[in-house]
Amino acid sequence: MYAGDFAGALALIDAAISEEPDSIEALYMRAVCQRYLKDADAALADLQQLKTLAPEFGRAYQEEGHLHREAGALERALQAYRRACQFNPALIASWKAQAAILSSLGRSAEAEQAMAQAKRLEALPKDLVAVTHLLSEGKLMKAEQLCRAYMQKNPRDTEGMRLLAEIGNRFGVLEDADFLLATAVELDPENIQLRLDFIQVLRKRQKFAAALEQARTLYDRDPANPLFQSHLAIESMQTGAYDRALELFESILEKLPSDAATLTSRGHALKTLGEQEKAVASYKAATAARADHGDAWYALANLKTYSFSDDELAAMRTQEAGSDLAFQDRIYLCFALGKAYEDRGEYENAFRYYERGNDLKRVQTRYTSEQMEDELAAQAGICTADLFTAQLGKGCPAPDPIFIVGLPRAGSTLIEQILASHSQVDGTLELPNILALSHRLRGRKRVSDKSRYPQILHELDAGQLRSLGEDYIENTRIHRQGAPFFTDKMPNNFRHIGLIKLILPNAKIIDARRGAMACCFSGFKQLFAEGQEFTYGLDEIGRYYKGYVDLMDHWDGVLPGQILRVHHEEVVEDLETQVRRILDFCGLPFEQACIDFHKTKRAVRTASSEQVRQPIYKDGVEQWRHFEPWLDPLKAALGPDLVNT
């Protein structure tokens, strides 16, 4: 191929593809050869297959851009090149092609920006460009190896630090990413990209005050810059300053009234504040501005209370059927269409869209049931009764936290809203602190090394356990408003109950449980903002639920009486009894406000935000039965005992 013998290369590639039909590299090379051989239709067909297999493979979009450009379809080419750079910002040819097209269209300012990106890449060390390519194609281990080798020779290179931080971010080692970016920003305080990356990592760590400070630094250097305004608005939301966020969104929209992303973000802020009608109006303005903006369509569906009109349903179907739709927009639209058809009682159509959305989403994840089952088995095998006999009671004695654990869509937001309605309890968020601590305890030397957690729990002394508990109390203080107790409703914390009880022996733990079929199917039809990758397949979520039940049985055995199980169906059936039971377990006096939880005014950020602002309703308990004809894989994964719970 590099020698120019494209016909000869094509014959060899065809033979390779016959052996491995889903080879990403082979399909890409065949498309390149077909373009040079002037067979555009065949090249586009291969690229379509390639994008289905690897929807974020930047070089596929670059090749598509070349084909459209050669055909004279400049707008389509420009869109393809932009997507190429979105997924792989190291594609110099795509930046230069954008610059040329934009210049020919008379859009000189945009052309200069694209060319500046190309020149920036050309000035970078080749190793760092290669690291960016590897990162963009998900080859994290190779990217880490090459980046570390480069940093050993160039320890103060801030772009190398930024890339290594991004590798840590992808691996979930946020503490390392935080440290690297803080150091890089100190070395190069004028570097805008460093601060933008730093904001993202700080937000993921829920260090909202620090993220706000970084966003304010960018804003202060150019208060009229819409990008900086947007980041300050988003970080203001995270710290509860919704009025300030809305002011900033309005300022952006004065300059860019049809910016779909800002209209959608404004809708999210209004939704969180309970301003549903205004949120709907903002989301609808976003879809009017950009009919293929899947985020806004899904935001309407995710309100759980919005009904799509016939025209809106037709518009979503048209967009989802289009071949040029961006991959993430297609995922959003599939989940939105699933909800729209479910609301209409067209359950087979609804399931097909939910299934398609999950299939697409699963392509983006690295989750495997086998790896998760190994993790859960390690918790049960290592966190034994002997561990708690030796270590329990040594941690921080603070009784402040109330952990609500389980699976998403199991009723945890309802329990949190009940507790947050009590005068002595602050409702917070799904806090990442315990998950981050579990990463720290792995004792790795490199971000990709295997962990030694939870074995290390046997080795920590009383001082270390107490210090870890005190750190948790201190680091979560930013989310509190002064009440003596607070909730942490990160559902995945059920995997770390042993750790929690060792560092915070007086913490309360509530297991929010819902019937297996209802819980799993509700998770399957929910598109989560991030994480919860086990929900994107019926087999995957069924196996995860089964593992969760088994591990909770283990915790009950080694920590008897330490966990309160609250069944969602029982809360729905007899609210007052369950409220009194929850309050008794937490050592709290009864307050009527906990019964009238739907009247409590507070920001709620989860998928159940609108539902917990209404009284208890029973309609959702058996909704899964409408879909039963298509749920055999879920039943098989759960097994007959759990199917009937």
Side-chain angles (χ1 to χ4, degrees), residues 61-62 64-84 94 97-98 101:
Y61 295 92
Q62 176 171 273
E64 194 174 61
H66 294 334
L67 288 161
H68 290 316
R69 188 180 182 190
E70 289 175 4
L74 296 186
E75 286 294 344
R76 293 188 74 181
L78 189 59
Q79 181 186 54
Y81 287 132
R82 281 177 171 161
R83 286 185 184 160
S94 285
Q98 284 184 71
I101 293 171

Side-chain angles (χ1 to χ4, degrees), residues 594-611:
C594 297
I595 300 289
D596 301 328
F597 62 86
H598 54 283
K599 298 178 183 177
T600 299
K601 298 293 184 185
R602 58 182 286 261
V604 182
R605 304 187 193 184
T606 66
S608 305
S609 61
E610 296 311 306
Q611 291 163 307

Side-chain angles (χ1 to χ4, degrees), residues 155-212:
R156 294 174 67 83
D157 188 302
T158 55
E159 180 64 10
M161 290 181 188
R162 189 186 73 80
L163 290 170
L164 194 58
E166 178 57 24
I167 294 167
N169 183 22
R170 301 275 186 98
F171 275 118
V173 189
L174 298 179
E175 200 170 5
D176 285 8
D178 185 336
F179 174 77
L180 284 162
L181 289 168
T183 305
V185 166
E186 190 174 332
L187 290 170
D188 189 3
E190 299 303 309
N191 189 314
I192 292 171
Q193 191 59 54
L194 285 177
R195 289 194 190 272
L196 292 174
D197 284 15
F198 197 18
I199 289 168
Q200 300 295 332
V201 168
L202 289 168
R203 187 192 310 149
K204 284 182 83 169
R205 296 196 71 198
Q206 297 197 1
K207 296 172 72 170
F208 297 130
L212 181 64

Side-chain angles (χ1 to χ4, degrees), residues 104-396:
S104 73
L105 296 173
R107 293 156 66 176
S108 56
E110 293 174 82
E112 288 174 9
Q113 290 176 352
M115 185 54 72
Q117 288 289 345
K119 289 179 178 177
R120 185 187 73 84
L121 287 167
E122 287 178 328
L124 282 178
K126 290 183 179 180
D127 280 353
L128 294 186
V129 175
V131 169
T132 307
H133 280 299
L134 291 167
L135 255 176
S136 300
E137 295 180 4
K139 299 170 183 176
L140 301 186
M141 304 286 275
K142 289 182 179 179
E144 181 192 355
Q145 185 178 14
L146 181 57
C147 196
R148 285 189 178 280
Y150 176 83
M151 290 303 296
Q152 285 176 354
K153 299 174 185 174
N154 305 274
R156 294 174 67 83
D157 188 302
T158 55
E159 180 64 10
M161 290 181 188
R162 189 186 73 80
L163 290 170
L164 194 58
E166 178 57 24
I167 294 167
N169 183 22
R170 301 275 186 98
F171 275 118
V173 189
L174 298 179
E175 200 170 5
D176 285 8
D178 185 336
F179 174 77
L180 284 162
L181 289 168
T183 305
V185 166
E186 190 174 332
L187 290 170
D188 189 3
E190 299 303 309
N191 189 314
I192 292 171
Q193 191 59 54
L194 285 177
R195 289 194 190 272
L196 292 174
D197 284 15
F198 197 18
I199 289 168
Q200 300 295 332
V201 168
L202 289 168
R203 187 192 310 149
K204 284 182 83 169
R205 296 196 71 198
Q206 297 197 1
K207 296 172 72 170
F208 297 130
L212 181 64
E213 181 183 347
Q214 292 297 324
R216 192 176 286 122
T217 299
L218 288 175
Y219 174 80
D220 287 344
R221 67 191 288 170
D222 185 2
N225 185 311
L227 176 64
F228 298 164
Q229 288 179 320
S230 179
H231 277 282
L232 183 58
I234 291 167
E235 301 319 315
S236 296
M237 284 172 59
Q238 299 296 340
T239 54
Y242 291 97
D243 290 340
R244 176 62 173 144
L246 289 168
E247 285 176 13
L248 289 161
F249 287 138
E250 294 299 342
S251 177
I252 297 167
L253 291 168
E254 285 175 10
K255 296 186 282 283
L256 304 168
S258 298
D259 187 68
T262 301
L263 289 163
T264 304
S265 293
R266 183 180 68 177
H268 294 336
L270 291 164
K271 170 194 169 183
T272 303
L273 287 172
E275 299 278 358
Q276 181 166 332
E277 288 186 14
K278 292 179 181 178
V280 167
S282 201
Y283 292 144
K284 292 177 86 166
T287 63
R290 220 190 89 200
D292 65 349
H293 189 54
D295 191 1
W297 288 114
Y298 181 68
L300 287 167
N302 203 34
L303 288 169
K304 312 298 183 189
T305 55
Y306 183 79
S307 295
F308 290 103
S309 68
D310 290 347
D311 288 345
E312 288 171 330
L313 181 64
M316 286 193 291
R317 287 195 59 168
T318 298
Q319 292 298 325
E320 199 282 322
S323 60
D324 286 339
L325 185 66
F327 186 79
Q328 190 60 44
D329 288 318
R330 192 177 304 283
I331 292 173
Y332 280 130
L333 279 164
C334 284
F335 280 93
L337 282 161
K339 180 67 168 62
Y341 277 114
E342 181 180 3
D343 289 345
R344 290 166 176 250
E346 297 183 36
Y347 298 114
E348 183 168 4
N349 278 336
F351 181 79
R352 295 307 170 205
Y353 276 111
Y354 284 139
E355 183 179 47
R356 177 162 163 73
N358 276 282
D359 287 346
L360 292 170
K361 185 67 180 173
R362 202 161 55 249
V363 172
Q364 293 182 316
T365 74
R366 300 198 309 272
Y367 176 84
T368 69
S369 294
E370 291 76 16
Q371 185 176 351
M372 180 56 64
E373 286 162 355
D374 287 346
E375 179 185 323
L376 300 181
Q379 288 286 332
I382 293 169
C383 297
T384 60
D386 289 345
L387 169 66
F388 297 107
T389 299
Q391 297 281 61
L392 200 58
K394 295 179 180 179
C396 170

